[in-house]
Structure formats: structure tokens, C-alpha cells
Amino acid sequence: MKSYQKLTTTQPAACRVEEEGAAPLPSGRGKLAPCWVGSGLLVVAVLLSTITVWVLRQVSGGWLGPTPPPKCLLVPESHRFDCYPERRVVVTQELCESRGCCFIQTSPPAEGKQGVPWCFYPPDFPSYTLESLNQTALGMAGLLVRREKAYYPRDIERLRLDVEFETDTRLHIKITDAANPRYEVPLDVPRVMKRAENPIYSLNFSWDPFGVLLQRKATGTVLLNTTVAPLIFADQFLQISTSLPSKFLYGLGEHRGSFLHSLDWNTLTLWARDVSPTESFNLYGAHPFYLLMEEGGDAHGVFLLNSNAMEVALQPAPGLTWRTIGGVLDFYIFLGPDPNMVIQQYQQVIGFPAMPPLWALGFHLCRWGYGSSNETWQTVRAMRNYQIPQDAQWNDIDYMDGYRDFTLDSQKFASLPSLVQDLHKHGQHYVMILDPGISSTSPHGSYWPFDEGLRRGLFLNTTQGQPLIGQVWPGYTAFADFSNPDTHQWWLENLQHFYAQVPFDGLWIDMNEPSNFMDGSEDGCPPGDFDSPPYTPAVLGDSLSAKTVCASAKQKASVHYNLHNLYGLMEAKATASALIQIRGKRPFVISRSTFPSQGRYSGHWLGDNRSQWKDMYYSIPGLLSFSLFGIPLVGADICGFSGSTSEELCTRWMQLGAFYPFARNHNTQKEKAQDPTAFSPAARTAMKDVLLTRYSLLPFLYTLFHRAHLQGDTVARPLFFEFPWDVATWELDRQFLWGRSLLVTPVLEPGVDSVTGYVPQGTWYDFYTGSSVNSSGEMLKMSAPLEHLNLHIREGSVLPTQKPGTTTEMTRGNSLRLIVALSSHSTAWGDLFWDDGESLDTFEQGNYSYVVFNVTQNIFTSTVLHGSTEATKVTIGTLSIFGVQKPPSKVLLNGQEKPFSYLDNQVLTVSDLGISLNQGFSLQWL
């Protein structure tokens, strides 16, 4: 029996392994048992662990049971990988040892915590052996064989290993059944044609037991070491573990918590579920991707392309275990080496996000419970009356007749078509909600969506081949099968019919986990391995069918067991496609359930939050996580969805929400109104001012979205992405950046008039005044009266801004103001992407302008790298330069002297430039 190696993050295996690029060893030769890699720390940990167990036994009078075998005592607590992860089971020594595992009781964990597993793998637990390994054009192919069965049914004895060195910074490792096809996620991924020539990683294998050892060449850091626990690959239980090089791990959504995950025995479950965001629950989306910061500031990412129910167990070793109950183990590893590059590389696989229409970046207003289209209209008019920016008005399900999709309440919402016409006349837009549950109880012939869907066979079916009936808002419902291409056509036709009545501009797709007010269906779920699998991850409700449909439900592409986590993605794809065909413009879709690649089709809001201060804070980790997931168009319900907000909370939340990439204030029914017009003049003015600030920054924000669409840059960005060498930034999630240049420090607590935030090393400028702050990389206390949001511009940046209007349409016609924030070397750089704001594929078709701004040696230059007629419609009116050390004697615009102003806080302003955006120019100060 072979031992498992324990590797430090810097020490290579002292055992015979297969080196990337080396000739494969003949089968059965040269295979040495992986050995324990000694280190003083590990020996100390083992001794302490052994002594602790002995002391506990003496103190407890033997309640810990008989002394475990020495091989079990060798395993430190932090390195104990769980052999009995089943929930709701009291793990006894007998149960544990029946699996061939070690059993050592430890002190019970605190309530709500998991703690050290009592049942864990011994060093010699049987795993797979790498029987052969052969070179391929792109990498290697190997055969893995298990000679002793593991403890889950339908163990797969022979596995195929495929390794592809796809790029110098991307590695692809796939493990699947060597003999039989298995379900794989139907996601379009890039196919490489040749092997990477100079990878920045080295890959080694342990042969017996099989394991992967991945290192970063430049530092020797071990990124993956899967020999720490056995590989298990049964039909409905797949498990692989790895050591981690640090404790700084992010991603693995969708969950509510801090941005940085705790590795203190923390299990994260991925199974789409309709539940108000709550700590430790599996939420609306599934994103099996993590980003990890390494010592020294390097970063890497790991993506498991698998859509089955899964959980990821984190432990303080540091270590991680993937457990999924179907599909294959299909890993992509991204080597960065900086965090921005990791996310770009991830999106090269899953797809870059769509370019949103400009109006999508304006302010959106919604509530459930307007009650009528006239009441909705009154809110719109009140916003206009106070000249508060608003681009889109939304309605929740109350516009429908009996909560049925594609219907209109002809009594309460009779004037909705006129309201939409009025919105369009004012340059505004209309968005409505849709659910995937289609009412099944209307008399035959009276509700076309159900009748036609039934006729075409477009709904999820039971194992008996009949439509699965659940219950959602309209009552009993069938569920559209978006894995069927025919359903996309039916969805389009339904939307076309409704659009003829109400010409909507965007769509809000909700309840698409899919949500079900019943567990499974009206008839429950049938017995069998889909609805009652051998292992159920730690899902809320302890059942795969809890508040959703049966996992055994039949869909066109596969069984729901495999497709559940893809439901929102498939609906978003159908919805975006329909909008393009109906409107001929960029689609705007906001979805609750998400999966990797969904940024190509929709944005996301963070669900049914509450009007509480902690919910406002938790929205920031939510934003930052979805930035990692390639869905930059994201935001939370401003002021909170459920519960009653306060004026102070809503004012502070409007300030923060004005800097969500997707900014929408949304409220539930039967609560007091929380739109800006509902508050006192002082609060209303504060809300209006911060929205005007957002609108002034639209050229900058729009350019960030262009860069996201083009190359996968993040929009809302964690501070450590720009300062990865500064360890103090790694845990920050109460502040964030827009791009690389704008630092947002919101107030997240009641009753204060100041806020303490981290200011990274360098010079930062107050956005409003241009006054400078020099930081050594420290926490600074900032004044924050109720009407003020702290914004700081990073040195070396140029921010394109614009005189704000009350809609994006009004704003884009106004003159531009370029804000230059000089570095300590008196340099700066920025850019601007400009198009018509709504046409499809403007960049791809060349219908855009791209302008680069540069400052060096007291000369500002604007260079048009690509021009279009759209840019001739806007002018650059003002140039504000922050950090000009001494008063200039004169300013020259294209060689001609120009009036200017200079303030004591070192801000130089040149106004009335009147230069077309499409025209390059230079401005010099002497």
C-alpha cells in the first residue's frame, strides 16, 4: 500500500514523478512510492497532534475511544481530509472504519461550525495508479486504474487522463471514464491547435498513487498537489483534493459572506437555489472557479467545468476538496501571473461579457407593488419633476394578469403601453419581469404560451413523459425547457406577441434556478438515484428537489440532475437572442440564476436582500465576486428589497449603489416607498447629487465595459488587483475600484460622519476638489457627512467625464471634461471608447471611436486611434489637471495661447476648448 506525500508549498516531491515534457516511463517501471517530505514544521505539528490526542484521552477518561493506529496519529488535524462528509449522520468509529478510514474524535466545534473531521483518510488509503502515460500533439494522455473499490456504488475502475498545455499560462487537465461516455457541460470552449511552447508552469505526476503536482516555474510554488488525499471517481461521487499555497482564496459562488473565504473547515455548496441571501446557504448561481493569491503577489485560478451539484470543502492545511455527483473532472488552471491576467485568461475560456447598451449603465427604478401603471407613471413623473437622473423604469409581476407570463392586467395596467411610449419620448426605457414557470391551469385555448408549449413538447417532463407540474406565482405551472432549441423559438414568439402590445426595452428573468414553491412537483419525485443519489452535497433543504423541480426531470439535452445549474444560463441565452431579433439592438437582460459564460448574455442582481446595514456591506463582496466570474454588469437592490429602509440607510446605500456597475433601486410590496422622491429634501438632494456624479462618469464607466467586452478586464475591481504586492489589500472588501483609477470608499455604518478606508501607496486626488492625499499605504480617516461619498482618483490617470443630464441620452450630447491626475513623475494616461451606445457589434464592425490621452513633460495629448461620425457630435469642453506643482505662466492649445485658472490646491483648469472628440490635440503648460 502506498503513502500520500505531504508537500510544502516550496518543496518539490523527493520521489520519482513524471516531468512535463519528459519521456514517459514504461508502464510498471520506475514507480516509486511517494514519500513523506520532511519539514520541521510538519514534524512539530504531528508531535503536537499526537500529544494533544493523548492528553485529551487522559482528561476525558477514555471517552475518545481506543488509541488510533500510528498511521492515523501521523496526520495533523489541519491535514485531515474528510472521509465521511455526509451531513445529518452521526459518524461512529464503526461507520468510519467500514470505509477503511481513521477515526479520531476531537473537541466539538462551535455551533454552526464544522470543525476537524473525526473520520479522515489514512496515508495509505487506496487510490488510482497511473498505468501509462503517452505524449500527444497537445500534451499527454494517460490511463488510471483503481485496483481496490472505494465505498460509493458504481466505482469506475479505469479512467482516462488528458492533459493539454493550451497556452503558456493555461493548462487543461481532464479525467473521465476510459470506457463509457459521460455527461459533459455543453459549453463552447476554445480548441487549441498546438502545444504551448514556453509554459510558465511545470507539471509532474505521482504514479502510485496517482497525483498531480503543478508548480510555478519562476518561484517553485506548488499550486496543486492532489496526492494529499485519494482520488475517488464513482458514477455519482467524484472527489479530488489538493493542497493550496496560501489561505487567500476568492470566488466559488454564489454565496453571501466576505470576499476572502475562510479556510476554517468551510464548505461551499454549488446548487442553484431560490433563497434570500443568507450566510452559508447555496444561493442562486453556481460558479466553480476560484482565484488564489500566492506569497509575493502572484495569482492563479482554477475552474472546474462541471454543472452537477457540488461542494467545495476548504480546510486550514491550507487545502481544498472538490466533490461533485456527476459529469467529469474537467479542470482549467490559469497561471496569471497577476490577478487581472488570471480573470482575463478565465474569460478566454468561458467567453468575454457582452457590451451593454449605454442606457443600461444609467439609474434603474423598480418596485413590487406599484399596484398600477398609473402609480408607476406617477413615480416616473416625480423623478422628472425633481430632475433626478433615471434611465429605466421597471415593473415586477404585478403588471401581469394573474401572474401569468406574456399577459397584462387590463384593469390596473391598462395605461402601460402609454407609459412606455412616454418613457421612449423622454429618452427612457422600460424593463419587465418574466418567470420560466408557465401557468398550466387556464382553460384550453385561452392561454397560448402553455397550449403551444404543450403542443410542441417544450416543457420539463417527469420520468413518465408528462409535463412536470410545480407551483409558482400563478399557481400550478409547467417549466420551459431552455435546453431545447425549439423552446428558444417559442420564447421569441411569445415575446413578439407581447412586444406588439408593450414595446419593452429589456427583460428581467427571475425565478430561474428554477424556483418552485413545492419540493419537486405536485406528485413529489420518484424513487431513484437522481432524486436520491448515493451522496447529496450540503444543499439547503438536504434534498436536490428542495424548492425546485425533481432532479429526475427529463430535458432535451439531458436529465435535470445534470442541467439544473445551467437553467438560468440557458434562459438568458434564449432571452438575449429574442431581444436582438425583436429590437435589432444590444440586448439588456438581468438574470437571477447564473453559470460561467453568462456574462455573454446577461447581467445579474444579487437577489432578494434586506433593508439592513449588513446587507449593504455584503453587496460589495457580491460585486467583486461576480467581477471574478466574468459578469461585470452586477448590482444589489439599492436600499434593500425586503423590510423597511430608513432615510439614513437609503441615502448611504444610494451613494454606494450609484457605483454598482448595474444600479437599480428595488423594493418589495407593502413597504413604504424608497425611491429618491420619497425622502426629505436633504436626502433627496444627496441622492440626486450622487446620481449626477455617476452620470458624469458614464464615459469612463462605458470605456471600462468596452475593455471588459474586449479582453476581460474587471469593472468593479478589488484593490489587490492593482496592488497585488500589498498584502494589506488582500482582505479589503469594504472599498473597491472602478477600473484602475477610481477608489470608492462608502459609509457602511449608521450614525457616523466619517469613514476609515485604506489608501494604497502613492498620490490620490479628491474627485470633487482635486486636492491630493499622499499615502504610504495606510488606513486614513475621511470626512463623510451624510451628503458626501468619498471618491479618489489614482495618480497617473486620465478620467473622461461629461456634464451630466437626467438620462444617458441627454448626457451623451453634453461636452466632455477630462480630469488628469498627474503622477509624481508628472505623467498620466487614459482612454475613451465612444459609439452610438446601442447598435450591435460596433467594435467588431469598426463603428466606434477610440481616443488615448497621455501626459508627459507638461504636455497633454489626445490621440484618435480610431474615428467615427458619432464622435463628431461631442466636444471636449474642459481639461482639469490635478497635481500641477507650480502656477503656469501660460497655456498653449495646439501652439495657441489659452486662458486658464490655477488654484492653490494645484489644480489647473482650461475651459471652453470646444474641440471635437474626433480631433487630436495637444495642450502644454509652461
Side-chain angles (χ1 to χ4, degrees):
M1 203 71 74
K2 307 301 186 288
S3 298
Y4 288 88
Q5 47 190 320
K6 301 291 176 184
L7 295 174
T8 68
T9 56
T10 56
Q11 192 169 7
C15 319
R16 184 62 178 270
V17 292
E18 189 64 25
E19 182 82 28
E20 179 266 306
L25 294 173
S27 178
R29 291 185 56 205
K31 293 181 285 183
L32 301 181
C35 40
W36 294 79
V37 176
S39 80
L41 285 175
L42 186 58
V43 171
V44 170
V46 171
L47 286 172
L48 286 174
S49 175
T50 307
I51 292 167
T52 301
V53 170
W54 183 84
V55 169
L56 282 171
R57 287 180 194 287
Q58 307 313 307
V59 173
S60 66
W63 70 270
L64 293 178
T67 303
K71 67 179 181 182
C72 297
L73 292 172
L74 280 172
V75 184
E77 287 188 358
S78 64
H79 289 65
R80 293 177 183 173
F81 286 83
D82 199 345
C83 176
Y84 217 111
E86 282 83 351
R87 301 297 173 98
R88 311 289 184 247
V89 175
V90 176
V91 182
T92 63
Q93 183 167 353
E94 183 180 12
L95 283 175
C96 178
E97 292 179 352
S98 71
R99 292 187 170 184
C101 291
C102 295
F103 185 82
I104 299 179
Q105 288 176 264
T106 56
S107 302
E111 188 175 353
K113 298 287 186 180
Q114 294 172 46
V116 181
W118 290 4
C119 183
F120 57 94
Y121 295 105
D124 59 355
F125 192 92
S127 183
Y128 287 86
T129 299
L130 179 57
E131 287 288 314
S132 64
L133 190 66
N134 298 298
Q135 298 285 345
T136 65
L138 299 177
M140 305 175 197
L143 176 67
L144 310 181
V145 177
R146 174 181 275 282
R147 292 191 168 81
E148 292 188 41
K149 282 196 168 292
Y151 45 83
Y152 285 106
R154 298 183 299 284
D155 219 8
I156 297 172
E157 294 180 16
R158 296 166 68 83
L159 301 176
R160 177 181 171 90
L161 168 71
D162 285 295
V163 177
E164 295 185 353
F165 305 106
E166 294 196 340
T167 73
D168 290 344
T169 56
R170 184 173 85 226
L171 175 66
H172 187 187
I173 300 176
K174 184 175 177 181
I175 303 173
T176 187
D177 190 332
N180 300 295
R182 292 179 61 80
Y183 165 77
E184 297 187 26
V185 182
L187 188 69
D188 292 330
V189 292
R191 299 293 176 200
V192 298
M193 304 308 292
K194 67 172 187 174
R195 177 179 177 142
E197 294 180 357
N198 298 295
I200 65 172
Y201 49 85
S202 64
L203 179 66
N204 300 286
F205 294 107
S206 165
W207 285 68
D208 188 4
F210 166 72
V212 173
L213 185 77
L214 179 68
Q215 291 177 278
R216 185 181 298 281
K217 283 183 178 178
T219 60
T221 302
V222 176
L223 309 183
L224 296 177
N225 168 24
T226 69
T227 66
V228 293
L231 167 66
I232 296 178
F233 201 122
D235 183 36
Q236 290 183 274
F237 185 89
L238 291 70
Q239 178 176 277
I240 190 167
S241 301
T242 182
S243 63
L244 299 171
S246 88
K247 65 178 183 178
F248 294 95
L249 183 141
Y250 314 82
L252 299 174
E254 180 176 5
H255 296 94
R256 170 156 140 155
S258 59
F259 183 43
L260 174 67
H261 286 301
S262 166
L263 269 59
D264 187 18
W265 305 108
N266 180 22
T267 297
L268 302 168
T269 307
L270 280 64
W271 183 249
R273 166 67 192 245
D274 171 9
V275 62
S276 294
T278 305
E279 297 87 325
S280 81
F281 288 179
N282 48 297
L283 302 182
Y284 311 106
H287 292 271
F289 166 82
Y290 70 78
L291 172 77
L292 189 137
M293 291 299 293
E294 305 159 30
E295 187 177 335
D298 288 338
H300 71 274
V302 177
F303 172 41
L304 172 56
L305 180 50
N306 181 294
S307 62
N308 289 90
M310 75 169 72
E311 60 192 18
V312 185
L314 307 175
Q315 63 190 76
L320 175 151
T321 298
W322 299 94
R323 291 187 201 106
T324 183
I325 61 172
V328 301
L329 296 176
D330 192 359
F331 289 102
Y332 288 87
I333 302 99
F334 311 99
L335 274 289
D338 77 56
N340 289 289
M341 294 171 72
V342 171
I343 301 309
Q344 291 174 346
Q345 292 156 12
Y346 176 41
Q347 291 173 90
Q348 287 168 6
V349 170
I350 63 172
F352 296 123
M355 183 69 187
L358 179 62
W359 66 266
L361 306 184
F363 179 61
H364 301 250
L365 192 55
C366 184
R367 79 165 299 171
W368 180 20
Y370 280 122
S372 69
S373 49
N374 285 342
E375 188 179 335
T376 309
W377 208 338
Q378 286 173 9
T379 303
V380 173
R381 288 178 177 135
M383 291 285 285
R384 288 180 194 155
N385 182 51
Y386 289 114
Q387 297 184 302
I388 300 172
Q390 182 189 1
D391 258 81
Q393 179 61 51
W394 297 38
N395 277 125
D396 208 316
I397 56 175
D398 38 355
Y399 78 87
M400 301 176 184
D401 181 8
Y403 298 148
R404 295 178 304 163
D405 276 356
F406 313 113
T407 66
L408 185 64
D409 184 328
S410 59
Q411 302 299 313
K412 296 177 180 176
F413 281 81
S415 63
L416 184 58
S418 300
L419 165 58
V420 173
Q421 185 179 12
D422 178 66
L423 288 168
H424 291 165
K425 189 175 77 174
H426 286 84
Q428 295 172 301
H429 299 81
Y430 181 71
V431 180
M432 65 183 198
I433 195 170
L434 281 177
D435 293 340
I438 303 298
S439 175
S440 61
T441 57
S442 299
H444 181 71
S446 66
Y447 185 48
W448 191 86
F450 178 74
D451 292 342
E452 191 63 16
L454 187 64
R455 186 183 73 80
R456 300 186 198 179
L458 304 179
F459 298 122
L460 270 65
N461 284 335
T462 65
T463 54
Q464 304 302 309
Q466 299 300 312
L468 183 147
I469 302 299
Q471 185 176 4
V472 201
W473 296 113
Y476 289 113
T477 56
F479 297 86
D481 177 11
F482 290 102
S483 78
N484 186 344
D486 295 340
T487 305
H488 293 218
Q489 178 62 29
W490 163 86
W491 193 245
L492 167 64
E493 291 169 22
N494 278 295
L495 286 166
Q496 286 172 327
H497 297 157
F498 195 77
Y499 186 83
Q501 187 178 6
V502 180
F504 52 83
D505 300 289
L507 291 168
W508 169 23
I509 50 176
D510 191 14
M511 308 291 285
N512 53 354
E513 291 74 30
S515 177
N516 185 359
F517 296 165
M518 300 174 161
D519 290 346
S521 77
E522 61 178 345
D523 300 316
C525 296
D529 284 340
F530 288 130
D531 293 300
S532 302
Y535 180 81
T536 300
V539 298
L540 177 62
D542 300 319
S543 165
L544 297 183
S545 62
K547 295 298 179 279
T548 188
V549 300
C550 297
S552 59
K554 294 180 177 179
Q555 296 189 235
K556 178 77 171 180
S558 186
V559 67
H560 190 74
Y561 181 90
N562 293 327
L563 300 179
H564 174 83
N565 281 340
L566 300 174
Y567 195 91
L569 168 63
M570 290 176 167
E571 186 192 13
K573 194 172 182 179
T575 305
S577 173
L579 277 169
I580 290 170
Q581 293 179 72
I582 290 169
R583 299 182 70 246
K585 298 175 181 178
R586 278 177 230 164
F588 173 73
V589 181
I590 294 292
S591 175
R592 192 166 72 179
S593 189
T594 58
F595 189 80
S597 80
Q598 193 145 341
R600 297 168 60 188
Y601 311 106
S602 83
H604 173 64
W605 97 103
L606 295 171
D608 295 341
N609 61 2
R610 302 165 187 86
S611 297
Q612 297 177 5
W613 288 91
K614 71 171 184 176
D615 286 65
M616 178 166 62
Y617 153 67
Y618 277 128
S619 71
I620 300 177
L623 286 191
L624 299 179
S625 293
F626 275 86
S627 290
L628 305 189
F629 301 149
I631 305 178
L633 189 63
V634 60
D637 284 344
I638 298 171
C639 300
F641 173 70
S642 65
S644 189
T645 193
S646 68
E647 182 163 291
E648 182 190 11
L649 172 61
C650 200
T651 303
R652 292 301 195 191
W653 208 330
M654 282 290 293
Q655 289 168 346
L656 168 59
F659 286 83
Y660 293 160
F662 164 59
R664 181 186 70 162
N665 179 315
H666 180 43
N667 191 7
T668 191
Q669 59 180 350
K670 299 176 183 175
E671 294 289 353
K672 62 184 181 182
Q674 62 184 37
D675 63 87
T677 70
F679 296 99
S680 71
R684 186 172 66 237
T685 300
M687 295 177 186
K688 174 182 175 179
D689 287 349
V690 77
L691 287 176
L692 288 170
T693 300
R694 177 191 179 89
Y695 274 60
S696 75
L697 283 159
L698 282 172
F700 175 58
L701 180 61
Y702 193 64
T703 302
L704 292 178
F705 269 96
H706 166 67
R707 298 177 71 85
H709 171 63
L710 187 63
Q711 61 191 38
D713 283 7
T714 52
V715 176
R717 188 170 300 176
L719 272 72
F720 73 80
F721 271 47
E722 291 299 317
F723 304 92
W725 59 86
D726 184 353
V727 179
T729 64
W730 291 11
E731 296 188 45
L732 298 178
D733 61 6
R734 300 173 72 87
Q735 299 165 273
F736 57 96
L737 294 159
W738 265 12
R740 63 177 300 277
S741 310
L742 188 65
L743 177 62
V744 183
T745 307
V747 172
L748 302 173
E749 297 169 344
V752 298
D753 58 7
S754 65
V755 62
T756 301
Y758 188 78
V759 180
Q761 184 175 6
T763 301
W764 296 79
Y765 297 91
D766 184 290
F767 171 80
Y768 309 97
T769 67
S771 296
S772 63
V773 177
N774 293 304
S775 174
S776 60
E778 56 197 309
M779 300 295 292
L780 295 177
K781 186 176 181 180
M782 310 171 196
S783 175
L786 188 58
E787 69 277 4
H788 183 71
L789 171 70
N790 277 280
L791 298 172
H792 290 88
I793 305 175
R794 184 181 181 182
E795 63 172 304
S797 306
V798 179
L799 263 60
T801 71
Q802 200 162 21
K803 181 183 177 182
T806 53
T807 64
T808 53
E809 185 176 287
M810 288 181 62
T811 301
R812 65 178 281 112
N814 293 338
S815 62
L816 292 167
R817 175 192 176 210
L818 305 179
I819 302 176
V820 179
L822 292 177
S823 72
S824 56
H825 304 293
S826 296
T827 60
W829 186 92
D831 61 346
L832 173 61
F833 176 83
W834 192 271
D835 62 10
D836 69 5
E838 62 179 10
S839 293
L840 293 162
D841 303 324
T842 55
F843 177 77
E844 292 75 5
Q845 295 175 10
N847 300 323
Y848 69 95
S849 289
Y850 182 66
V851 185
V852 169
F853 311 112
N854 201 55
V855 179
T856 183
Q857 296 180 335
N858 291 3
I859 301 174
F860 175 95
T861 56
S862 173
T863 306
V864 181
L865 295 185
H866 192 280
S868 70
T869 55
E870 281 296 325
T872 62
K873 302 174 185 176
V874 65
T875 59
I876 297 172
T878 303
L879 195 60
S880 295
I881 305 169
F882 298 170
V884 177
Q885 297 292 324
K886 57 184 181 181
S889 58
K890 60 181 172 180
V891 169
L892 304 176
L893 174 63
N894 292 333
Q896 301 296 311
E897 202 160 334
K898 192 78 179 165
F900 65 92
S901 67
Y902 181 82
L903 301 178
D904 290 343
N905 64 348
Q906 302 184 337
V907 174
L908 168 65
T909 301
V910 187
S911 303
D912 302 319
L913 295 175
I915 301 171
S916 168
L917 180 59
N918 240 13
Q919 178 185 342
F921 70 94
S922 67
L923 186 139
Q924 182 178 18
W925 57 100
L926 303 169

